[in-house]
Amino acid sequence: MKKAGLPPKQGLYDPQYEKDACGVGFVANLNGLKSHEIIVKAITVLKNLEHRGATGSDASTGDGAGILIQLPHEFMSKAALEAGLGQLPPEGQYGVGMLFLPPVPEQAEKLEKVIEAAITEENFDLIGWRTVPTSNSQIGDLAKDSEPFVLQFFVKIQNSVPPVPSNNQQLTTNNSYLTDNRQPTTDNLKLERQLYVLRKVIEQRVRECGLDGAEQCYIPSLSCKTLIYKGLLTANQIPAYYLDLSDPAMKSGLALVHQRYSTNTFPTWERAHPYRYIAHNGEINTLRGNTNWMNARQAHFASELLGEDVPKLAPVVMPGGSDSGAFDNVLELLVMAGRDITHAIMMMVPEAWETDPHMSPDKKAFYEYHQSLIEPWDGPAAIAFTDGRVIGATLDRNGLRPGRYIVTKDGFVVMASETGVLDIPIENIERKGRLEPGKMFLVSLEEKRII
């Protein structure tokens, strides 16, 4: 087995200049109805984007492909029972982590202990582990050489009573997060924030543990809202490799898919898209400056919502990641700190507002204010994004990446890097259009409308 990861800086090669360029698309039900059909349609879109991906010298080893869906509670409940984990808590009150571990049993077991210790340290209960059923019969030899052991772990907040503050520990209303952030909750935004902190702590513990195989430990997703299946695969291999995706109980109201073509990058299992919030087509040309500014600012971060957990989040941008990974890291931080995902996207990918005579003064003021907080992440980029409640896409101000969408009369929305990714009878098309530079296309499953 080859070690996962990137080669060190050498000669003209430097990992910080890694870029991605790919095919991206999503399918959503405008009424928010969850079904297995959404996943089937999304995988069809993914397969029809295969020409936008790439393979290695071994044609069966892809640069990466994947799918992000809403956490399928019905399927997870069934899978947990089959794995002997008992009945899961109600929907929205537990988190599921997707995990890559080294395939050497002794290495995987030691890393599992590190993860379990972090789970307890962050006041979570480990419900249990589940081996994700996979089939590598179709994947190439290069992909098999670095193929991880794929697991899922289930966690919930410990049932504990918050400590009573002493006279010297007055907890103000502005820091109410400190009084109850570890208690059982039905607020999945709050639980999502706690799971974010847990993942960052696990990543830190794994980096520091010094165990063999630690570099192959990666968490594609840890969430109470979304779940990601991805890997060093081609589009056609995704449903064949991850057997879960063929189960009729696997249902979602949205699905984000991606076929990767790495430009000047080394494909690895963890670098496949989607990331936790985005799938990205194109390049971020301002990456080095964006990353340096984030590294410089993170020592000064403060948040009422994240409270005492803020120091656990560094480094915000994971070292050695690609431009897509760095963008996703920063977007995740902005969302977890309390901003709506659309707000955060507009901060990171603003329109060309400075000289636009038609833009309203209020909107210009919005962009001008946020310019003092964060620099634009610029480049010929198209970014599809979701937080599990809404799903959308945006182009950077240059508009050099294509994006087309179709809304059907029976309530489906399809967006992709190009047209023709899904066979839709013309009589079923309600409207269609394209993404415009600096503009956002957004589908709200909760409001059942396109914004």
Side-chain angles (χ1 to χ4, degrees):
M1 183 198 74
K2 294 180 181 177
K3 285 190 174 182
L6 301 170
K9 180 179 179 180
Q10 54 185 307
L12 296 177
Y13 172 74
D14 190 332
Q16 69 178 319
Y17 296 115
E18 299 256 339
K19 299 286 195 300
D20 292 337
C22 342
V24 61
F26 67 73
V27 181
N29 185 291
L30 193 53
N31 297 311
L33 300 176
K34 295 183 179 182
S35 68
H36 186 62
E37 184 183 8
I38 286 284
I39 295 171
V40 172
K41 287 179 180 292
I43 289 174
T44 301
V45 170
L46 182 61
K47 290 178 178 179
N48 287 331
L49 288 171
E50 188 164 26
H51 62 282
R52 283 188 170 267
T55 62
S57 55
D58 168 8
S60 297
T61 297
D63 270 5
I67 181 171
L68 180 157
I69 60 175
Q70 292 175 316
L71 190 66
H73 178 63
E74 178 185 344
F75 172 82
M76 285 296 147
S77 297
K78 179 170 73 79
L81 287 172
E82 291 172 351
L85 306 183
Q87 187 65 48
L88 289 178
E91 186 172 7
Q93 296 185 35
Y94 65 95
V96 179
M98 198 77 173
L99 178 66
F100 292 166
L101 284 176
V104 180
E106 296 80 7
Q107 295 178 357
E109 288 171 9
K110 290 178 180 179
L111 288 164
E112 285 176 24
K113 298 299 182 186
V114 173
I115 294 169
E116 289 175 359
I119 290 171
T120 302
E121 177 186 333
E122 289 303 303
N123 296 316
F124 278 87
D125 283 329
L126 175 66
I127 298 172
W129 298 91
R130 173 184 181 249
T131 300
V132 176
T134 59
S135 172
N136 66 4
S137 60
Q138 295 185 18
I139 71 174
D141 292 336
L142 293 174
K144 286 179 183 177
D145 284 345
S146 59
E147 181 186 6
F149 178 40
V150 186
L151 284 173
Q152 287 170 344
F153 60 96
F154 299 75
V155 294
K156 63 177 182 177
I157 290 291
Q158 288 179 359
N159 294 314
S160 57
V161 178
V164 177
S166 67
N167 292 335
N168 296 326
Q169 294 175 310
Q170 296 299 319
L171 298 178
T172 68
T173 54
N174 286 338
N175 289 321
S176 59
Y177 170 84
L178 301 181
T179 68
D180 65 356
N181 74 317
R182 294 305 179 204
Q183 299 313 303
T185 175
T186 57
D187 179 358
N188 62 7
L189 291 175
K190 185 176 178 182
L191 177 57
E192 193 76 354
R193 192 172 292 117
Q194 295 164 358
L195 292 168
Y196 168 56
V197 174
L198 173 61
R199 196 197 81 239
K200 297 295 283 189
V201 170
I202 291 173
E203 290 171 348
Q204 184 179 29
R205 297 293 178 269
V206 169
R207 284 196 305 272
E208 296 171 349
C209 71
L211 294 172
D212 290 339
E215 72 285 343
Q216 205 168 352
C217 180
Y218 176 75
I219 303 175
S221 63
L222 175 54
S223 173
C224 65
K225 298 193 296 180
T226 57
L227 185 65
I228 296 172
Y229 289 87
K230 69 177 187 176
L232 198 57
L233 308 165
T234 65
N236 284 293
Q237 291 168 356
I238 282 287
Y241 185 82
Y242 287 114
L243 306 183
D244 285 354
L245 294 172
S246 300
D247 194 309
M250 178 76 75
K251 299 175 182 178
S252 178
L254 59 82
L256 175 61
V257 295
H258 188 275
Q259 172 71 42
R260 185 170 184 262
Y261 178 83
S262 57
T263 53
N264 306 317
T265 58
F266 284 85
T268 60
W269 280 79
E270 64 271 19
R271 286 201 168 189
H273 296 223
Y275 284 90
R276 295 160 191 119
Y277 282 84
I278 69 153
H280 170 217
N281 175 23
E283 297 182 354
I284 303 294
N285 291 339
T286 56
L287 177 64
R288 188 171 184 178
N290 295 139
T291 302
N292 287 343
W293 273 113
M294 288 303 300
N295 291 338
R297 289 171 175 146
Q298 65 189 15
H300 305 289
F301 286 166
S303 168
E304 290 184 3
L305 289 173
L306 292 164
E308 61 190 357
D309 287 331
V310 168
K312 301 174 184 177
L313 307 180
V316 172
V317 177
M318 289 298 293
S322 69
D323 55 343
S324 307
F327 186 100
D328 186 76
N329 291 156
V330 176
L331 178 63
E332 181 180 39
L333 174 71
L334 294 176
V335 172
M336 291 296 98
R339 291 176 175 85
D340 182 88
I341 190 169
T342 54
H343 184 157
I345 286 286
M346 290 175 71
M347 289 173 63
M348 295 181 69
V349 191
E351 299 176 62
W353 59 272
E354 296 95 332
T355 58
D356 187 346
H358 305 294
M359 186 177 292
S360 71
D362 284 349
K363 197 173 186 182
K364 280 193 174 184
F366 173 90
Y367 286 125
E368 185 174 9
Y369 170 74
H370 287 98
Q371 183 180 247
S372 67
L373 302 178
I374 188 170
E375 296 72 29
W377 289 62
D378 255 344
I383 298 163
F385 58 88
T386 183
D387 61 0
R389 299 180 309 108
V390 301
I391 189 165
T394 189
L395 300 183
D396 85 309
R397 66 182 77 191
N398 301 301
L400 297 177
R401 286 290 182 269
R404 303 277 182 174
Y405 66 85
I406 289 177
V407 182
T408 69
K409 293 178 181 177
D410 56 351
F412 288 97
V413 181
V414 182
M415 194 289 302
S417 306
E418 57 203 69
T419 56
V421 293
L422 204 60
D423 289 332
I424 301 172
I426 192 166
E427 61 271 15
N428 191 28
I429 296 176
E430 181 177 292
R431 62 188 173 105
K432 55 185 177 180
R434 64 179 180 86
L435 301 183
E436 299 177 27
K439 305 295 184 182
M440 185 183 297
F441 176 73
L442 184 69
V443 181
S444 172
L445 277 65
E446 292 182 343
E447 297 182 31
K448 301 179 181 180
R449 68 187 181 103
I450 295 172
I451 303 173

